[in-house]
Amino acid sequence: MEQLAFSYILLPEWGMKALSYGLICLGGVIALLTRTPSFRMLRGPYFTGIALCTLAISLTQFWWLGGGAMMQAGTLWLLMLGDIVASLAGGYVFATLAQARSLDAYGDPRKAFLAFIPFANLWLLFTPSKHLQPDGPIQPDNGAWAGLVGAPGAVLGIVLMLINLATVKSVTSAVEAAAASDPRVANGLTRHMAQSDAGLEELLRMSAQQITVPARVDEITTLHRVDVQGTTIRYHYSIASDIAELPANFSDGIFQSNCTNEAIIPILSGGGTLEYVYTNSTGVEVARYRNDQASCETAL
């Protein structure tokens, strides 16, 4: 389950949206197949209900602020499960409201499926009530929603939609900031991705892309290129000196630092290699060090 949860959070944005939409539709299908509508709903209350349900689903995303702690505890799958349940429940509620709106608009709850089709959902929303009398529309049984008939429902629905937009933006920024500042997130993702060669290669490419070059290391040493080949990430350094070789123990500090770094250990244990290439001012290679799991066992 934990590995599935990591695969879930690594989905591209379009994949995440498609999965969420699919789960919402599934929740809707469950509602349409298992319940019989017992009330009708006018446009104002329906719009407010849809907006409120959408906002509730968005608010659940704040639980991802605890992603780092859940990764460390091995319970990230609970957050994934929460997303699944929230989407299914949201779809069930959407369908329940849509059945009530369809019954009011068409006298038939079976057109509730329109709520799950982009643009067609507007047809369901704006269709006037079918239940008319000579002196005006029959008041559907909206219960606690009765005060939202007409303009109040439209206004409140718009306000809730605007709040939802702000919530989505806020939760996205908050979760991204928390993930960027929490080392447990980076370590957890590293451990997961390093468990397969494909994941390890992607992880190394991501690491290389995050490094800005050229980067001054000290007065005479500059990192001028980083490249990735398979499961090896290679750092190319230039030394502003015509030195012919580096001290024999030069790599000791590099290996000891890498082999005890929590962010690098999963890469090495997963079969990754960190390679360091040094050239002098004349372009001659003066040293090349390969740091893998075997060299860590020797260094430590």
Side-chain angles (χ1 to χ4, degrees):
M1 285 291 285
E2 195 70 1
Q3 295 305 313
L4 183 61
F6 274 103
S7 298
Y8 170 72
I9 65 174
L10 289 172
L11 284 173
E13 184 178 0
W14 67 266
M16 190 74 75
K17 289 182 178 179
L19 178 59
S20 178
Y21 177 71
L23 289 170
I24 288 173
C25 289
L26 178 58
V29 169
I30 293 172
L32 296 177
L33 293 177
T34 60
R35 68 178 308 279
T36 300
S38 57
F39 63 98
R40 300 191 302 271
M41 184 169 273
L42 285 169
R43 290 174 291 184
Y46 172 71
F47 182 45
T48 300
I50 291 296
L52 187 61
C53 185
T54 302
L55 177 58
I57 294 175
S58 297
L59 287 172
T60 63
Q61 295 305 293
F62 275 110
W63 57 43
W64 284 99
L65 291 173
M70 301 296 270
M71 285 183 184
Q72 187 176 47
T75 54
L76 184 66
W77 63 272
L78 288 174
L79 296 182
M80 177 189 70
L81 182 61
D83 272 4
I84 293 173
V85 171
S87 295
L88 289 173
Y92 191 94
V93 173
F94 281 142
T96 299
L97 298 176
Q99 282 182 315
R101 177 81 270 269
S102 177
L103 186 62
D104 177 64
Y106 309 108
D108 184 351
R110 289 177 295 180
K111 291 188 178 181
F113 72 90
L114 293 173
F116 297 90
I117 303 175
F119 301 110
N121 56 358
L122 297 177
W123 186 15
L124 178 64
L125 171 62
F126 290 113
T127 300
S129 175
K130 182 181 179 64
H131 301 276
L132 298 176
Q133 287 183 334
D135 58 346
I138 295 176
Q139 188 78 350
D141 181 16
N142 288 292
W145 301 86
L148 298 174
V149 173
V155 171
L156 181 56
I158 291 173
V159 169
L160 289 173
M161 285 296 186
L162 292 175
I163 293 175
N164 179 63
L165 291 175
T167 299
V168 170
K169 183 177 180 179
S170 177
V171 70
T172 300
S173 298
V175 171
E176 288 179 351
S181 62
D182 191 340
R184 294 173 299 185
V185 173
N187 292 341
L189 289 172
T190 298
R191 287 194 302 272
H192 168 72
M193 296 182 70
Q195 292 181 6
S196 68
D197 285 348
L200 182 56
E201 290 179 26
E202 178 63 21
L203 176 62
L204 295 179
R205 281 194 292 269
M206 291 169 56
S207 298
Q209 292 171 358
Q210 292 173 359
I211 299 174
T212 301
V213 292
R216 177 66 67 89
V217 178
D218 55 37
E219 292 182 356
I220 64 170
T221 308
T222 301
L223 174 64
H224 64 88
R225 190 170 87 251
V226 180
D227 56 50
V228 176
Q229 184 177 9
T231 57
T232 297
I233 183 169
R234 189 172 294 108
Y235 302 89
H236 298 266
Y237 294 89
S238 59
I239 302 174
S241 169
D242 59 359
I243 185 173
E245 61 181 12
L246 295 178
N249 63 348
F250 185 83
S251 64
D252 292 352
I254 297 175
F255 288 6
Q256 289 177 7
S257 175
N258 289 345
C259 297
T260 56
N261 188 319
E262 291 187 5
I264 296 178
I265 290 175
I267 295 176
L268 299 174
S269 62
T273 300
L274 284 68
E275 189 169 283
Y276 302 84
V277 181
Y278 292 84
T279 57
N280 64 18
S281 58
T282 64
V284 176
E285 182 179 312
V286 297
R288 181 183 292 259
Y289 306 112
R290 288 177 59 84
N291 187 191
D292 55 17
Q293 184 63 28
S295 62
C296 279
E297 294 172 359
T298 302
L300 299 179

